[in-house]
Amino acid sequence: MHCQLTIIKLDEQQAVLINKEKQQFVWPANQLPPDSQVGTVLTCALVNANKLDQDDQALAKAILNELLKKSSS
């Protein structure tokens, strides 16, 4: 499963992320992708360690579909 999170606050220590349901999450700033800033939309993958192979395939497919969608725009 994956979800999109938007950075709404960012300082040297932490970021505050918000999802589409308006739930907020605090994340360490040093674990964000390079060049992240307020307004950056991140895709978060949630993987069940007990079903790693199945979830990895689903995640790979979702990422590939997203990349193909963007390249055809």
Side-chain angles (χ1 to χ4, degrees):
M1 174 180 161
H2 70 279
C3 60
Q4 291 189 328
L5 302 170
T6 303
I7 300 173
I8 60 169
K9 294 180 185 176
L10 179 62
D11 62 33
E12 292 180 11
Q13 299 298 315
Q14 63 187 19
V16 178
L17 312 173
I18 191 167
N19 65 10
K20 292 179 182 179
E21 290 78 26
K22 306 298 183 199
Q23 296 169 309
Q24 294 185 11
F25 306 88
V26 177
W27 192 260
N30 64 357
Q31 292 184 17
L32 291 171
D35 300 324
S36 293
Q37 58 189 1
V38 171
T40 298
V41 178
L42 306 168
T43 299
C44 178
L46 303 172
V47 180
N48 182 338
N50 295 325
K51 297 181 181 178
L52 201 51
D53 292 334
Q54 185 179 4
D55 285 344
D56 281 345
Q57 289 176 2
L59 177 60
K61 183 177 180 180
I63 291 170
L64 181 57
N65 286 334
E66 190 69 26
L67 290 172
L68 291 173
K69 194 182 336 176
K70 288 183 180 183
S71 68
S72 65
S73 299

